[in-house]
Amino acid sequence: MASIITGLFRSQSQSKKISEDLENAGFDNSDYIMYLHEEPVSREVKTSLWQFFFKDDTTLEDESLAISVKVDDPTLKEKALKIFSENNVIHYNYFENIKFRDAMSLDYLKRIATLRAKSQIFSSQEMKHHTQHNGMNSEVLFGKGE
């Protein structure tokens, strides 16, 4: 089994540069997967969703891009993360012990990421909540000794 790094990028137009960067860094074409959207979404819808969630004025050009890279050792992991960073990755996930053929399904990776997020929430430490205090009351005496 391998480890997979999956990154989300703003635009599918980045695919050529990222694939060139990966191959120049020593990754084979068979070591990474690019997930392309099949159903187009209008620019206005994508832009309005982006602006709502990220609170910025970015106008999206086309569909976002997701890429998974197989990394078998820490050196390859660092190379892939550096390439992701240089290409302005929005978010990435690191998955250990996954069969690369299973990573061909972006829905499969989404389910794993969701399960991981839920498990981190449920296994978090118990939180202590502070109760509301009423503040000072009429029993407080200022400047008078007892």
Side-chain angles (χ1 to χ4, degrees):
M1 290 203 201
S3 296
I4 308 290
I5 298 175
T6 301
L8 177 65
F9 300 88
R10 289 183 190 241
S11 171
Q12 288 189 13
S13 63
Q14 295 175 271
S15 62
K16 184 174 181 179
K17 178 170 182 334
I18 296 170
S19 66
E20 288 173 356
D21 290 350
L22 287 168
E23 290 178 16
N24 289 337
F27 292 95
D28 290 331
N29 190 26
S30 60
D31 291 334
Y32 63 92
I33 303 166
M34 291 194 178
Y35 309 94
L36 302 174
H37 296 281
E38 296 175 10
E39 298 176 18
V41 177
S42 74
R43 175 185 290 191
E44 293 79 18
V45 171
K46 291 181 290 193
T47 298
S48 66
L49 287 171
W50 180 273
Q51 292 175 353
F52 176 78
F53 285 111
F54 296 106
K55 307 295 185 217
D56 68 18
D57 295 329
T58 302
T59 301
L60 300 180
E61 297 176 16
D62 57 15
E63 297 291 329
S64 59
L65 172 68
I67 299 176
S68 288
V69 181
K70 178 172 61 171
V71 291
D72 295 328
D73 62 58
T75 306
L76 291 176
K77 178 183 175 184
E78 292 304 316
K79 283 182 182 181
L81 288 175
K82 182 179 180 205
I83 291 168
F84 279 16
S85 177
E86 290 171 351
N87 287 283
N88 302 315
V89 67
I90 297 168
H91 182 77
Y92 75 88
N93 283 299
Y94 179 65
F95 303 102
E96 294 181 285
N97 301 321
I98 292 183
K99 295 177 183 174
F100 193 61
R101 70 174 182 267
D102 291 339
M104 291 183 183
S105 168
L106 187 57
D107 288 331
Y108 176 78
L109 294 178
K110 287 178 184 177
R111 284 194 306 267
I112 292 174
T114 302
L115 290 172
R116 178 188 290 174
K118 286 180 182 177
S119 71
Q120 289 174 351
I121 290 170
F122 292 128
S123 67
S124 65
Q125 296 178 354
E126 183 178 329
M127 298 178 69
K128 295 183 180 181
H129 299 280
H130 294 283
T131 59
Q132 183 177 4
H133 295 283
N134 294 331
M136 288 193 231
N137 61 25
S138 62
E139 297 177 14
V140 176
L141 303 174
F142 291 101
K144 296 185 180 179
E146 294 188 41

